[in-house]
Amino acid sequence: MFDPDIRALAAELLDMSKERGFTVATIESCTGGLVCGALTAIAGSSAMVLGGLITYANEAKAALAGVPEPLLKQHGAVSEPVARAMAEGGRRRLDATFAVSITGVAGPGGGSVEKPVGLVHFACAGPSGTRHRERRFGEKSRDEIRRLSVLEALDLLRETALTGP
């Protein structure tokens, strides 16, 4: 179901979790649960994955991940502050060692000059703080932007688990 690169990253995270004893939660918007799906596609992932929140609408970001509504209004859903708040809120709510979040514009519509199609914000919250990445994947297909976002989120999770923020 998932391409070999995604499966390899997910398997590596499971191995790291077994060695280091950490747990993971995902808080996803434009990927709609694909990161959690990639992790749970690996046998034995129940030892690592606590759960995932799909917070596609702003109301869900606020209700499920605890993102403050004023933050959403001030910065918009596709922003660094919201990605950070999603990861931090999801980590608290699911009591995970690490929580990775994704919010972006997968297209083909919905973009603007300030926030074009392909703009995606990622955050990973852990015991030492929260790390953020911004990627601009460009005018790729919706499926490709979502696939690249899953890879990026898994890589950020791996990097944070290895080194901290």
Side-chain angles (χ1 to χ4, degrees):
M1 173 178 258
F2 292 96
D3 73 35
D5 293 336
I6 290 172
R7 289 189 65 78
L9 270 172
E12 182 180 344
L13 281 162
L14 179 58
D15 289 343
M16 286 175 58
S17 171
K18 288 176 183 175
E19 290 174 12
R20 298 167 185 244
F22 64 79
T23 57
V24 171
T26 67
I27 302 82
E28 304 180 59
S29 185
C30 66
T31 48
L34 290 173
V35 175
C36 195
L39 291 169
T40 59
I42 306 301
S45 61
S46 61
M48 173 183 66
V49 178
L50 296 180
L53 304 173
I54 300 171
T55 58
Y56 207 72
N58 285 353
E59 295 81 8
K61 288 174 180 64
L64 298 175
V67 177
E69 290 184 29
L71 194 68
L72 286 160
K73 288 180 182 168
Q74 181 180 359
H75 298 281
V78 180
S79 65
E80 178 178 346
V82 169
R84 287 178 176 275
M86 287 168 64
E88 292 162 2
R91 179 174 180 254
R92 278 191 307 275
R93 297 227 168 148
L94 292 170
D95 197 26
T97 311
F98 298 101
V100 65
S101 69
I102 305 160
T103 183
V105 185
S112 66
V113 172
E114 300 83 26
K115 296 181 182 184
V117 170
L119 172 64
V120 184
H121 287 272
F122 305 85
C124 189
S128 300
T130 304
R131 180 181 294 214
H132 168 264
R133 284 187 191 168
E134 175 185 311
R135 294 293 182 256
R136 293 177 182 260
F137 296 119
E139 292 278 341
K140 295 181 174 21
S141 72
R142 180 177 183 83
D143 286 345
E144 183 64 4
I145 290 168
R146 287 166 41 110
R147 185 186 75 77
L148 291 169
S149 293
V150 171
L151 283 167
E152 193 71 35
L154 292 173
D155 184 63
L156 177 60
L157 181 56
R158 175 184 62 185
E159 183 179 303
T160 305
L162 282 171
T163 64

